[in-house]
Amino acid sequence: MNQLNNVISLRFYNERYRSEIERFYLDGEQHQFTALPAEALQVCETDHERYPVMIMDGCTPAGFFVLHEKEGVKQYSKNQDSILLRAYSINTPHQGKGIAKASIKLLPSFIKENFPDKNEIVLAVNHSNHAAQHVYKACGFEDRGNRVMGKKGEQFILYMDL
């Protein structure tokens, strides 16, 4: 693991980072595949089965995602002990530094520590989002052939056993 990866951490969202989270942006077509963190936070405020998580590069929020349990997982997995990874993004200025891979590799231990009853992570990734598919698969997610239709077309459902 390179030195940069040693400073990457996952932390539940804290309100003191709201202004930084609201300034996140995604270049090009990336925003069509995921919600911006500020958008995802709004949903989390009313849905108590969603847990916003920041990807920290040292003391700086570099990325964001939501862990969604119970009702959120049902469309993607029959396993009641699954948790859904959604709204995953790395802020554009922090892309290309290995933060995505480092954060996804931290995800299993983060979930085991904070959601000890979970034994699987599931996510949906757009069939056209090849970069995200590559990162998820390189970090241990498996394509078991399940598909759903999403707002932007076919979604591949990927799984990681914990």
Side-chain angles (χ1 to χ4, degrees), residues 17 32 38 42 55 59 80 114-116 118 124 128 148 151:
Y17 293 104
Q32 74 175 314
Q42 287 180 340
I55 302 165
C59 298
Q80 295 178 359
N114 294 287
F115 302 90
K118 303 303 176 194
S128 297
V148 298
K151 294 176 187 174

Side-chain angles (χ1 to χ4, degrees), residues 65-90:
F65 60 87
V66 173
L67 292 172
H68 193 175
E69 59 178 353
K70 300 177 183 167
E71 291 300 315
V73 180
K74 287 183 178 180
Q75 179 181 356
Y76 307 102
S77 177
K78 290 180 172 59
N79 179 353
Q80 295 178 359
D81 295 325
S82 287
I83 194 160
L84 178 67
L85 173 66
R86 64 183 326 146
Y88 183 93
S89 66
I90 302 295

Side-chain angles (χ1 to χ4, degrees), residues 5-18:
N5 292 343
N6 292 332
V7 299
I8 303 304
S9 63
L10 303 179
R11 199 180 290 173
F12 284 111
Y13 171 74
N14 184 305
E15 188 66 28
R16 74 175 182 237
Y17 293 104
R18 182 171 285 276

Side-chain angles (χ1 to χ4, degrees), residues 5-76:
N5 292 343
N6 292 332
V7 299
I8 303 304
S9 63
L10 303 179
R11 199 180 290 173
F12 284 111
Y13 171 74
N14 184 305
E15 188 66 28
R16 74 175 182 237
Y17 293 104
R18 182 171 285 276
S19 64
E20 290 176 77
I21 292 295
E22 288 176 347
R23 289 193 303 266
F24 268 44
Y25 68 95
L26 299 172
D27 278 343
E29 64 183 24
Q30 292 177 358
H31 186 231
Q32 74 175 314
F33 297 127
T34 190
L36 287 169
E39 298 164 347
L41 270 176
Q42 287 180 340
V43 178
C44 291
E45 289 170 0
T46 59
D47 185 342
H48 301 291
E49 294 180 354
R50 295 179 189 229
Y51 302 90
V53 179
M54 300 180 304
I55 302 165
M56 304 297 291
D57 182 358
C59 298
T60 304
F64 182 89
F65 60 87
V66 173
L67 292 172
H68 193 175
E69 59 178 353
K70 300 177 183 167
E71 291 300 315
V73 180
K74 287 183 178 180
Q75 179 181 356
Y76 307 102

